[in-house]
Amino acid sequence: MKNIVVFASGSGSNFQSIIDAVQNGSLHAHIAGLISNKSGIKALERAEKHGIPTLVISETEFHEYEVYERQLLLQLENWNTDLIALAGYLRKIPASIIKAFENRILNIHPSLLPKYGGKGFYGINVHKAVLEAKETMSGCSIHVVSEEYDKGPILEQATVDVLASDTPEELAARVLQQEHLIYPKVIETYLNTLNEN
């Protein structure tokens, strides 16, 4: 069984959808750990509740970025990580980690990439931008992580209608529902392609 490590910076609702999929048998994998750059977040509570090991680590704790990278890599190796799933992780993944886990890091983004991707486009900022541009359609994208923000190959997208009455929060909630539906399914499919290679 493949080992997934999830990275999260916030409430971890996508992390929860992955936990639920593993528990109900629709995702055939083991969640080996959760990595966060912040303490005291809901995602860590979710991990603790389900007996999932955690590591809180941030580059700001280290005098040298290389030491931070080595620590991160060491933990991923200790957990025998096969796939990394980013679930609302708000730090850039170090280039050395992307190289070590080439084509084995997935991210979910709350827009229809390539629209509204890149630096600064995360969380509610994305939904505000979608509404300001008067888009009629939005959604979420799951992509393979590359060294450029939100530029890796797109694996799957789900769409939602943008309503004239939408607030950014209302749009965010509907997009999030789609994220929870598709992320575990895409991870399962992607793990199967890794098994074949």
Side-chain angles (χ1 to χ4, degrees):
M1 191 172 279
K2 297 284 189 188
N3 288 322
I4 300 172
V5 172
V6 178
F7 282 45
S9 297
S11 75
S13 68
N14 272 308
F15 175 40
Q16 187 66 55
S17 74
I18 295 167
I19 293 170
D20 294 345
V22 168
Q23 289 186 336
N24 70 30
S26 60
L27 174 53
H28 300 87
H30 169 67
I31 303 172
L34 172 76
I35 287 177
S36 182
N37 61 309
K38 286 183 185 174
S39 55
I41 58 166
K42 179 86 179 195
L44 290 167
E45 290 174 28
R46 294 179 195 273
E48 189 179 345
K49 182 181 172 189
H50 294 280
I52 296 166
T54 61
L55 172 69
V56 177
I57 184 171
S58 170
E59 70 269 27
T60 55
E61 301 162 32
F62 297 88
H63 292 300
E64 294 176 32
Y65 193 75
E66 290 75 20
V67 180
Y68 159 69
E69 289 181 284
R70 279 203 301 276
Q71 287 288 107
L72 199 51
L73 194 54
L74 192 61
Q75 185 62 73
L76 291 166
E77 286 169 353
N78 285 346
W79 282 336
N80 295 315
T81 307
D82 295 301
L83 185 76
I84 296 168
L86 308 184
Y89 187 67
L90 300 181
R91 306 302 303 165
K92 192 161 173 54
I93 302 297
S96 61
I97 303 293
I98 293 171
K99 283 192 179 76
F101 290 89
E102 190 176 3
N103 296 321
R104 290 192 292 145
I105 308 175
L106 303 185
N107 182 44
I108 187 151
H109 184 79
S111 78
L112 297 174
L113 293 173
K115 286 184 169 185
Y116 310 106
K119 201 162 173 58
F121 281 114
Y122 60 87
I124 208 74
N125 296 356
V126 173
H127 307 296
K128 283 178 180 170
V130 167
L131 292 175
E132 282 165 14
K134 302 206 175 345
E135 298 280 2
T136 56
M137 191 78 77
S138 191
C140 54
S141 306
I142 298 165
H143 66 95
V144 179
V145 172
S146 65
E147 287 189 40
E148 279 187 273
Y149 267 127
D150 302 326
K151 294 279 191 191
I154 295 168
L155 300 175
E156 181 122 4
Q157 294 182 313
T159 59
V160 302
D161 291 327
V162 178
L163 309 178
S165 61
D166 268 338
T167 64
E169 291 76 16
E170 287 167 341
L171 179 57
R174 286 205 312 286
V175 170
L176 195 59
Q177 283 180 327
Q178 294 303 313
E179 292 179 31
H180 295 165
L181 288 173
I182 70 167
Y183 205 10
K185 289 178 186 171
V186 173
I187 291 170
E188 170 73 5
T189 305
Y190 199 75
L191 284 175
N192 289 336
T193 67
L194 290 181
N195 285 336
E196 289 161 12
N197 293 333

